[in-house]
Amino acid sequence: MLGSLPVAPLVALAYLISGVLFILALRGLSSPETSRRGNRFGMLGMLIAVGTTIATHDAVALPKLVAAIAIGGVIGFIIARKIAMTAMPQLVAAFHSLVGMAAVVVGAAAYRNPAAFDIFDEALGAIHQISRIELGLGVAIGAITFSGSVIAFLKLNGNMSGKPILLPARHLINLGLLVAIVGLIGYFYAIPNPAAVPWLFWTVVALSFLIGFLLIIPIGGADMPVVISMLNSYSGWAAAAMGFTLENSAMIVTGALVGSSGAILSYIMCKAMNRSFISVIAGGFGAEAVSGEAGAKEQRPWKRGSAEDAAFLMKQAESIIIVPGYGMAVSQAQHALREMADQLKAAGVSVKYAIHPVAGRMPGHMNVLLAEANVPYDEVFELEDINSEFAQTDIAFVIGANDVTNPAAKTDKSSPIYGMPVLDVANAKTVLFVKRSMGGVGYAGVDNDVFYMDNTMMLLADAKKMVEDIVKALGH
């Protein structure tokens, strides 16, 4: 382990600069227009923090450390270059799991060799008592983050059902595990020498892995955006706790920033979905299994259209609002969509984009895709800023969105999405709804009444293929 960090004005200044850069990074990431600058601030801040830490420690194994950083950097670079935008949510979940496991590994190393971490009390002949609390919380939160993120990854990646998996008496089990973890950390703090009771530390780790698993499996796919931001918060708190153990102010500041911003984002996402913040972090408290009958689709008449039909209607329109969803991400239709919008604007049609806060599988998913296609930022509007305009628009063009446009959220108290604010596409004069087939339903597993409305035309095809065909028809 590297030696203890000397308290020096230059070191403190370097970490202060890093902290300011991290704050500027978060500020930049609050808008697609400034997100690239925010990323650069964050990268520079991390470079300064890591460089300062390495330079001010006794790096006995510096070549190994540099080699490890190089290997990790190369792997990260390759993944970033190859990853599809549709796989970004599960990638974020996977990276959160690595942060959690890193906290557990660092905590385990500090427990096994406390002197190397400068947390050994010679007078007690054991780990400093305050360090025991930091260790216990760090490994507990890290383990919860790891196992919870693994389950989130499996759900998002399709390796596990996206539906809630509800275990009998799950809340009592979770509460019992939480009480046991807190009690064991308290015992870990109080006993004279924790090293003499090795099962204590490892039991905290094991129970934390278990409760992370149990907290996430009852959460359905429709709540995954909240889970992603919540796990992001957990990873930050785990890093902050380890920062106290390592006496590293950069880790403390960075972890606190990530933890608090993730918690705030989770709260905002819960409000956007009309979910209780406490219920989500408690593992879907109050969720009920949806019966097969509730999820069954009723056979109702609907109208099917073609790309030529859609192009004809668009040519007659004065205003169009485009509503992107996960289907657009899956088919990578954002570039074709921008081309379609450019043609319409050249013909004098007003084009805007309406973004629901939880469209896609993670916060900001649609904004990132549209930015990738160079859609002008001033054409992209959030739900609360554009919802009232649907009643005055000629066409609502829905591409791959379902739950976020479903009026059942306002009318059906038995629906799993009841109470969630939705985009009022049904109020437009005409709704063009791009969907692969009538057989599928949204991630929440409920049918959408908009499909069967008199002013709706269903465009059944792969989203990218349909938009490309509309572009061709607009050019004729």
Side-chain angles (χ1 to χ4, degrees), residues 224-307:
M224 273 300 134
V226 180
V227 172
I228 292 293
S229 59
M230 181 182 69
L231 291 170
N232 178 56
S233 178
Y234 287 175
S235 67
W237 297 125
M242 286 298 105
F244 281 105
T245 299
L246 299 176
E247 295 182 359
N248 188 305
S249 57
M251 280 188 69
I252 296 170
V253 171
T254 305
L257 284 172
V258 173
S260 56
S261 60
I264 293 169
L265 179 59
S266 299
Y267 176 75
I268 293 171
M269 300 293 285
C270 285
K271 282 190 67 177
M273 301 174 69
N274 197 39
R275 296 289 194 265
S276 163
F277 181 70
I278 298 300
S279 74
V280 174
I281 65 174
F285 192 94
E288 300 295 338
V290 179
S291 67
E293 291 75 22
K297 290 187 59 178
E298 181 184 351
Q299 295 299 316
R300 298 157 65 184
W302 52 278
K303 291 187 296 186
R304 181 169 186 170
S306 65

Side-chain angles (χ1 to χ4, degrees), residues 17-42:
I17 293 172
S18 295
V20 171
L21 288 169
F22 292 144
I23 293 171
L24 291 174
L26 288 174
R27 179 68 183 89
L29 292 172
S30 65
S31 167
E33 194 169 2
T34 58
S35 59
R36 290 183 180 179
R37 186 169 65 224
N39 269 323
R40 294 189 187 103
F41 281 138

Side-chain angles (χ1 to χ4, degrees), residues 114-128 131 193:
F117 286 76
D118 200 25
I119 60 173
F120 189 78
D121 189 324
E122 296 289 349
L124 287 176
I127 300 173
H128 287 296
S131 296
N193 185 9

Side-chain angles (χ1 to χ4, degrees), residues 104-426:
V104 174
V105 170
V106 170
Y111 171 73
R112 291 179 61 86
N113 190 5
F117 286 76
D118 200 25
I119 60 173
F120 189 78
D121 189 324
E122 296 289 349
L124 287 176
I127 300 173
H128 287 296
Q129 284 194 299
I130 189 63
S131 296
R132 300 179 200 176
I133 296 294
E134 298 160 1
L135 267 182
L137 290 176
V139 297
I141 300 172
I144 291 171
T145 303
F146 174 79
S147 55
S149 297
V150 169
I151 298 302
F153 171 84
L154 294 175
K155 282 177 173 278
L156 289 166
N157 206 45
N159 304 108
M160 177 182 288
S161 172
K163 296 180 180 180
I165 302 173
L166 307 180
L167 301 177
R170 65 189 185 282
H171 301 308
L172 288 176
I173 295 172
N174 291 342
L175 182 61
L177 287 173
L178 180 61
V179 170
I181 291 169
V182 172
L184 289 172
I185 292 175
Y187 185 41
F188 185 68
Y189 167 81
I191 60 176
N193 185 9
V197 192
W199 63 266
L200 188 55
F201 178 84
W202 299 112
T203 301
V204 170
V205 174
L207 293 181
S208 299
F209 278 131
L210 179 59
I211 196 172
F213 168 81
L214 295 175
L215 283 173
I216 303 303
I217 59 169
I219 300 177
D223 289 331
M224 273 300 134
V226 180
V227 172
I228 292 293
S229 59
M230 181 182 69
L231 291 170
N232 178 56
S233 178
Y234 287 175
S235 67
W237 297 125
M242 286 298 105
F244 281 105
T245 299
L246 299 176
E247 295 182 359
N248 188 305
S249 57
M251 280 188 69
I252 296 170
V253 171
T254 305
L257 284 172
V258 173
S260 56
S261 60
I264 293 169
L265 179 59
S266 299
Y267 176 75
I268 293 171
M269 300 293 285
C270 285
K271 282 190 67 177
M273 301 174 69
N274 197 39
R275 296 289 194 265
S276 163
F277 181 70
I278 298 300
S279 74
V280 174
I281 65 174
F285 192 94
E288 300 295 338
V290 179
S291 67
E293 291 75 22
K297 290 187 59 178
E298 181 184 351
Q299 295 299 316
R300 298 157 65 184
W302 52 278
K303 291 187 296 186
R304 181 169 186 170
S306 65
E308 290 73 20
D309 297 329
F312 176 80
L313 291 171
M314 288 179 172
K315 287 178 181 178
Q316 314 307 313
E318 293 183 0
S319 60
I320 296 176
I321 298 178
I322 299 172
V323 180
Y326 188 63
M328 183 192 77
V330 170
S331 65
Q332 290 288 283
Q334 62 269 25
H335 296 281
L337 190 65
R338 193 214 65 211
E339 185 179 354
M340 182 189 82
D342 288 345
Q343 284 198 28
L344 290 169
K345 287 186 291 182
V349 180
S350 169
V351 177
K352 296 180 179 179
Y353 297 80
I355 306 296
H356 193 282
V358 294
R361 294 295 177 267
M362 71 177 186
H365 200 177
M366 295 301 105
N367 302 75
V368 172
L369 288 172
L370 295 179
E372 182 190 34
N374 294 317
V375 171
Y377 299 125
D378 58 0
E379 295 177 4
V380 181
F381 297 85
E382 301 296 331
L383 177 145
E384 61 272 13
D385 298 322
I386 200 172
N387 224 12
S388 61
E389 295 188 26
F390 281 104
Q392 288 80 44
T393 198
D394 293 318
I395 295 176
F397 185 77
V398 185
I399 175 168
N402 191 344
D403 297 332
V404 298
T405 65
N406 196 334
K410 296 183 175 182
T411 59
D412 185 2
K413 292 185 177 181
S414 66
S415 173
I417 62 171
Y418 178 72
M420 182 178 82
V422 293
L423 291 161
D424 295 328
V425 299

Side-chain angles (χ1 to χ4, degrees), residues 36 43 72-88 91 95 332 372:
R36 290 183 180 179
M43 292 165 65
V74 170
I75 293 172
F77 178 81
I78 293 172
I79 291 174
R81 295 281 294 179
K82 290 189 173 183
I83 194 71
M85 282 305 301
T86 50
M88 193 60 68
L91 177 69
F95 281 174
Q332 290 288 283
E372 182 190 34

